[in-house]
Amino acid sequence: MRIVIAEDLVLLREGMVRLLTETGHTVVAAVDDAEALIAAVEEHRPDLSVIDVRLPPGFRDEGLRAALRIRAGDPEAKVLIVSQYVERAYAADLLADGRGGVGYLLKDRVTALDDFLDAAERVAAGGTAMDPEVVRQLFNRNGGRQGVDGLTPREREVLGLMAQGLSNSAICAQLVLAAVSVEKHIGNIFAKLQLPPSDDVHRRVHAVLAYLNS
C-alpha cells in the first residue's frame, strides 16, 4: 500500500512509518498538521491515510475534519482515524455514506501491531475497522432506540463484531459458533434492520450505520 500519515507526535509518527515500511508498505508522506495532510493526499492519492484526530494548530478536531473533507472530495479515499478519545459524532459521520473504507482506532490499539496492521489493510481494501471501545460507546449511546429493539443479545453481539470489521470466520472464532449459526444471526440482523439483499460488504456497513442512526 501507499500510505500518508498525519500525526503530530514525532515518536508515534516515526514508529508507524517504520512499522509500515518494514511490513512491505510505502509511506509516501508523513506530516504533522491538517493542511499538510490535505496537500499530501491531493499530491499522492494514497491507498490509505492514517490520521490523528487532534492536530495543530488547535489540537481539537482538525484531523477529523480534514478526513471528512478528503472523503467528500474523493469517494474512493480510504481513511483510518487514530485517537486517544472516542469522538462519537465523528465516528458516525465517517460511516454515514455507507461506502466503507473507514476505520477508527484508539491509540492504545496502535501499540498492538498485528491489530493495527490488520485494520490498515482491511480499511484500504474497502472494509471497516472500528475499535471495540468505540463500538461499545456508540452502542451504549444508542441502546434501546427504534430500529434495533428487535435484535437479540446475541445478534447485538454479532453486530458489534461486524462494526469492528471482523469477517464471518473471525466472528465464529470470537464467539465459538459454527459458521451456519453466524450466517443465520447476520441474516436476521439484515432482515430486522430492513436491509434487502445487495453487496454483502455494503450491507455490513449499512447494518452498523442503521444502528448508529436509529
Side-chain angles (χ1 to χ4, degrees):
M1 294 185 292
R2 299 172 62 256
I3 299 171
V4 166
I5 296 173
E7 168 59 59
D8 67 291
L9 295 177
V10 176
L11 288 178
L12 181 54
R13 183 173 69 244
E14 293 304 314
M16 287 192 287
V17 170
R18 181 174 178 178
L19 171 64
L20 291 166
T21 301
E22 289 181 350
T23 52
H25 305 298
T26 300
V27 178
V28 295
V31 301
D32 62 2
D33 66 72
E35 291 304 318
L37 163 65
I38 292 172
V41 170
E42 290 178 350
E43 176 182 355
H44 297 287
R45 298 295 177 183
D47 302 306
L48 177 70
S49 298
V50 180
I51 305 169
D52 187 13
V53 169
R54 299 183 177 185
L55 293 173
F59 294 99
R60 293 187 296 272
D61 56 9
E62 289 84 353
L64 234 312
R65 287 190 282 111
L68 292 171
R69 282 176 58 187
I70 290 167
R71 293 275 290 180
D74 180 4
E76 300 302 317
K78 310 298 192 299
V79 297
L80 176 60
I81 303 301
V82 293
S83 176
Q84 292 177 314
Y85 311 97
V86 179
E87 305 282 356
R88 295 183 297 186
Y90 287 123
D93 287 344
L94 282 172
L95 287 166
D97 55 28
R99 293 194 306 262
V102 297
Y104 195 124
L105 298 182
L106 296 183
K107 285 189 174 179
D108 288 346
R109 190 74 52 185
V110 177
T111 62
L113 302 185
D114 290 341
D115 289 348
F116 173 66
L117 290 171
D118 178 67
E121 292 169 1
R122 213 184 310 148
V123 171
T128 60
M130 303 294 285
D131 191 282
E133 179 62 18
V134 176
V135 174
R136 186 188 69 80
Q137 291 199 30
L138 289 169
F139 277 23
N140 284 347
R141 182 188 68 172
N142 291 291
R145 301 292 296 275
Q146 184 179 4
V148 298
D149 289 345
L151 297 182
T152 66
R154 177 64 86 182
E155 288 163 358
R156 289 168 60 88
E157 193 172 17
V158 170
L159 181 54
L161 295 174
M162 288 169 59
Q164 294 174 38
L166 271 64
S167 65
N168 285 16
S169 59
I171 294 173
C172 289
Q174 183 83 9
L175 300 180
V176 194
L177 292 174
V180 65
S181 297
V182 169
E183 290 169 3
K184 182 177 179 181
H185 288 313
I186 292 174
N188 290 341
I189 290 167
F190 290 156
K192 291 177 180 179
L193 296 180
Q194 299 181 5
L195 294 170
S198 64
D199 181 277
D200 277 344
V201 173
H202 289 162
R203 277 211 294 176
R204 294 171 86 91
V205 174
H206 281 291
V208 177
L209 180 61
Y211 192 101
L212 300 182
N213 286 340
S214 64

